[in-house]
Amino acid sequence: MITAFAIGIAFGFALERAGLGSARKLIGQFYGTDFTVFKVMFSAIVTAMLGAFWLSRLGIVDLSRVYLPETWLLPQLAGGLIFGIGFVIAGLCPGTSCVAAASGRGDGAMVVLGMFAGVLVTGFAFAPLRDFYSSTSRGALTLPEVLHVPYGVVVCAVVFVALAGFAAAERIERRA
Amino acid sequence: MIFDRAPSDGAPASSRPVRRHPAGRLEGGDPAGRMPALRYSDPYFAGVALGLVLLASFVFAGRGLGASGAFTRIAAALSPVNRQPPTANDPWLLYEIAGVIVGGFASALLAGRVRREIERGPRLSRGLRLGLAFAGGAAMGLGAVLARGCTSGLALTGGALLSAGSWIFMLAAFAAAYAVAPLLRRAWR
């Protein structure tokens, strides 16, 4: 549990350092003025992805023992769409709202409360959602399995997409 | 006192008009005459640091990061008729999210960024901003339950592990956000 707490501290610290505890900074992503969300998120994904890939390739870490979020096609598609709309209304996501609240922001605390209310209400009104919630289960499915290409190829592709995205983000920011 | 940094409690603003932080970098503006805060880190640097935290979590905890799961867990404990399956039935996420709050606060404190305020678009009243924050949070709550995760546990963690569902969620969330952003322009711009 000390591990969980320590990892949480580092996570919160990194989010705050990046400026992701600020709704106005986050929301710039969707108005083409500030691509911090994309830059931070994708440098983090690329770093952890490459780290996991190489640690596993070198036999240091057994990736099959790391919990892989399971795939549920339609619930995750619908959940993602609803989540994205909520994100722009709120200006913060669950993790960053905790950081915003911790640095004294009332809007952050309100997103935390709203999030909690949303989860609670969904829990109480879960019956009609149950069938949809448990539909289209694909288990622990990865992109390399879907695309039928080696793991390393997908890793490379993600790196290139991220780099191209960074270049585009820099160009758009300079113009804004 | 922590929340309200008047110029008097730290730097004598009158004698030193600009208080240079040890790092020598200042956040522009400082409209309220408060102590200037450190500028935010370079996003790529912060992103790589965040990625290393995520990697450390894979290696030492056998799982990635998370945020919404902590909410789900508390909600499940509170409501007797809560039928949602216990996605994370251990207290790991609760300790982790407690850490996020402590780490976020520590970072903001060290950078001189702790401030009691309500961040909002220039045309938005405080009340409306808080209402939208609540509504947006609630929508994300529903979305996170359906998707079984949020930006942290699903997009970031599963994104790095190349989970198919995580990428579906991430693309859907970004697409929806870009689609509704023009409609919400008045709230932010």
Side-chain angles (χ1 to χ4, degrees):
Chain A
M1 290 310 120
I2 289 171
T3 317
F5 189 59
I7 286 170
I9 288 178
F11 182 27
F13 202 93
L15 286 177
E16 205 286 330
R17 286 285 133 166
L20 295 187
S22 159
R24 292 191 66 175
K25 195 163 175 59
L26 278 165
I27 214 69
Q29 172 75 38
F30 304 107
Y31 295 101
T33 53
D34 186 332
F35 288 90
T36 303
V37 170
F38 174 79
K39 293 182 199 171
V40 172
M41 208 167 156
F42 274 79
S43 8
I45 286 178
V46 163
T47 303
M49 177 186 70
L50 286 173
F53 175 76
W54 284 110
L55 289 179
S56 146
R57 185 55 67 94
L58 298 171
I60 298 167
V61 169
D62 182 5
L63 268 193
S64 66
R65 297 186 64 177
V66 175
Y67 174 73
L68 178 82
E70 287 178 2
T71 296
W72 305 73
L73 297 177
L74 293 179
Q76 281 168 340
L77 181 68
L81 293 173
I82 297 168
F83 189 93
I85 294 168
F87 191 176
V88 181
I89 298 173
L92 295 158
C93 70
T96 52
S97 66
C98 290
V99 173
S103 60
R105 295 198 167 113
D107 51 315
M110 213 57 183
V111 176
V112 170
L113 275 180
M115 172 86 197
F116 188 67
V119 170
L120 202 61
V121 167
T122 309
F124 277 108
F126 195 65
L129 290 172
R130 174 171 287 281
D131 284 345
F132 179 67
Y133 179 81
S134 36
S135 68
T136 57
S137 167
R138 294 293 180 273
L141 182 69
T142 63
L143 291 181
E145 287 163 5
V146 174
L147 304 169
H148 298 290
V149 287
Y151 204 92
V153 173
V154 180
V155 168
C156 268
V158 172
V159 171
F160 279 117
V161 168
L163 290 177
F166 295 153
E170 294 299 333
R171 198 176 307 161
I172 299 169
E173 269 181 3
R174 232 175 294 132
R175 227 184 295 153
Chain B
M1 174 220 169
I2 285 168
F3 287 103
D4 207 355
R5 277 203 160 148
S8 53
D9 70 29
S14 50
S15 57
R16 276 187 291 161
V18 174
R19 184 184 175 279
R20 217 154 258 292
H21 202 273
R25 301 162 73 199
L26 299 171
E27 185 71 50
D30 193 32
R34 297 159 202 249
M35 196 164 72
L38 253 182
R39 211 180 269 169
Y40 290 124
S41 304
D42 176 80
Y44 301 110
F45 177 78
V48 169
L50 182 56
L52 292 175
V53 175
L54 180 54
L55 186 61
S57 189
F58 290 154
V59 174
F60 297 113
R63 60 191 296 167
L65 304 166
S68 61
F71 293 83
T72 318
R73 202 186 128 75
I74 298 172
L78 281 182
S79 62
V81 292
N82 196 309
R83 305 286 295 233
Q84 77 210 13
T87 34
N89 222 352
D90 60 315
W92 197 93
L93 276 168
L94 295 181
Y95 287 93
E96 190 236 21
I97 209 71
V100 168
I101 292 165
V102 171
F105 175 71
S107 168
L109 190 65
L110 290 172
R113 281 195 284 262
V114 177
R115 180 184 295 183
R116 202 194 317 232
E117 65 175 340
I118 293 168
E119 255 201 335
R120 60 191 202 274
R123 316 175 205 217
L124 217 55
S125 71
R126 295 158 76 88
L128 190 53
R129 166 66 181 128
L130 291 180
L132 286 178
F134 187 85
M140 287 191 292
L142 168 62
V145 169
L146 279 181
R148 299 166 170 82
C150 65
T151 349
S152 313
L154 206 50
L156 208 54
T157 299
L161 294 172
L162 303 181
S163 153
S166 291
W167 283 85
I168 291 173
F169 172 80
M170 193 167 12
L171 294 178
F174 267 93
Y178 272 107
V180 298
L183 306 174
L184 287 159
R185 179 167 275 274
R186 285 186 69 84
W188 293 110
R189 298 283 128 182

